[in-house]
Amino acid sequence: MKYLKVGIIMGSQSDWSIMKESAIILEELRIPHEKKIISAHRTPDRLWKYGEAAIESGIAVIIAGAGGAAHLPGMMASKTQIPVIGVPIPTKALSGLDSLYSILQMPKGYPVATMAIGSPGASNAALLATSILALNDSEVAKRLMEWREALSRSIEETPKE
Ligand code: RP5
């Protein structure tokens, strides 16, 4: 089975305003992807089924966003050996520190690549997923290099008054 796409999963509809930043980057880089709401607590059977079918579905990397008691990325990492990138969603109560610690503190054996809290983390998750795909796809590697070069070009050398 050739690994073809990135799976973007999130614990709630309310996470989409952040997780759409992952989708925007993947669209810019023309990386096939899908998006699903999967909650570790509210839809555990959905989580299990997604993890079980992920390799057969051609998913290469999973980006998982969750907030609060953010168990989704870690539980997905326990169910599949596909790389899981975790995005801590900002929360009202603790500003996303709860999400960050929850996703970050995995026990030895089940890694989650944890990004920054919020939108920058969601964007970087997509870029990291693309870097993983680029290892085996020179066209993807070229598109990623061009994307990075365009970003560099967009940065002014001198600050405006
Ligand atoms: C988590 O609980 C979700 O990932 C979300 O960030 C948070 C709040 O969910 P809602 O109450 O907005 O559905 O499972």
Side-chain angles (χ1 to χ4, degrees), residues 47-121:
L47 187 162
W48 233 232
K49 278 188 197 135
Y50 192 85
E52 244 162 28
I55 290 176
E56 268 307 301
S57 312
I59 293 172
V61 185
I62 294 171
I63 298 173
H71 295 144
L72 176 63
M75 289 307 294
M76 192 54 80
S78 81
K79 190 60 184 164
T80 177
Q81 66 185 50
I82 291 170
V84 175
I85 305 173
V87 179
I89 301 294
T91 54
K92 281 191 191 131
L94 296 168
S95 307
L97 266 186
D98 45 352
S99 325
L100 175 69
Y101 291 156
S102 180
I103 294 173
L104 192 63
Q105 293 293 351
M106 287 297 291
K108 180 178 177 181
Y110 298 90
V112 170
T114 307
M115 301 290 104
I117 298 169
S119 298

Side-chain angles (χ1 to χ4, degrees), residues 10-15 39-42 65-70 72 89-91:
M10 64 213 83
S12 168
Q13 174 67 47
S14 66
D15 297 332
S39 167
H41 306 110
R42 293 167 176 160
L72 176 63
I89 301 294
T91 54

